[in-house]
Each structure stands twice: as structure tokens, then as C-alpha cells.
Amino acid sequence: MKSIRGRKVKLRPQDIRTKEFSKKLFGYDPDEVEAFLIEVANAYQELLKEIEALRVKTPEYKTEKLIEKAKKEIEKII
């Protein structure tokens, strides 16, 4: 499961796209529900991408990457 800032995303776009509902007499039109779920999943996926793009621009992220790089360099030396 994908994580954002160390938090696991509980609902993935794929979960929305593949969600199935039980059918009842006089219920919603399954094709309309499926089309809407796909639209919601696509919008959600775009938001997750935007969040990730913004996250990598933060000073905290850049600091984390510098620390990781420094640790790898130290391990090479050791």
C-alpha cells in the first residue's frame, strides 16, 4: 500500500475502481455507479500525485534524502 509522509493510504484508487455493491430490486443503475466510481478514483489518484509532488519539494524531504545519501556514503567507506 502506498504511503504519504509515513502514513499508509487506506483507500487506493484501484480500490474505488473495483468496488462492487450488492444488487437490489429498484436500486441504482450499476453502469452509472461504476462510471462515477471510475471518475472519483481518477480524481483521487490525481490528488495523491499532487500531494506527492508537493511533498518532495519540502525541506524535510530534502533533508531526509541528504541523510540517506550520507548514510550510504558512510557505509561504502566502512
Side-chain angles (χ1 to χ4, degrees):
M1 210 170 256
K2 192 172 184 176
S3 67
I4 295 179
R5 258 192 126 176
R7 296 182 183 164
K8 286 188 178 180
V9 176
K10 296 179 183 179
L11 183 63
R12 300 171 304 159
Q14 188 62 26
D15 298 332
I16 298 169
R17 286 186 188 99
T18 59
K19 176 67 179 163
E20 292 188 19
F21 297 91
S22 58
K23 295 184 174 139
K24 298 208 177 213
L25 191 59
F26 305 114
Y28 293 106
D29 179 346
D31 293 333
E32 285 184 33
V33 172
E34 186 175 336
F36 180 72
L37 288 176
I38 290 169
E39 187 178 333
V40 169
N42 290 340
Y44 184 62
Q45 187 170 22
E46 288 303 312
L47 287 173
L48 290 175
K49 285 179 186 177
E50 188 174 336
I51 289 168
E52 184 61 20
L54 291 171
R55 186 180 79 78
V56 300
K57 292 180 181 179
T58 64
E60 292 87 358
Y61 178 82
K62 292 176 182 177
T63 301
E64 287 174 20
K65 289 300 172 188
L66 285 173
I67 291 170
E68 287 176 23
K69 184 177 179 181
K71 285 181 181 179
K72 287 180 183 176
E73 290 297 320
I74 291 169
E75 288 174 3
K76 284 181 188 176
I77 295 170
I78 295 175

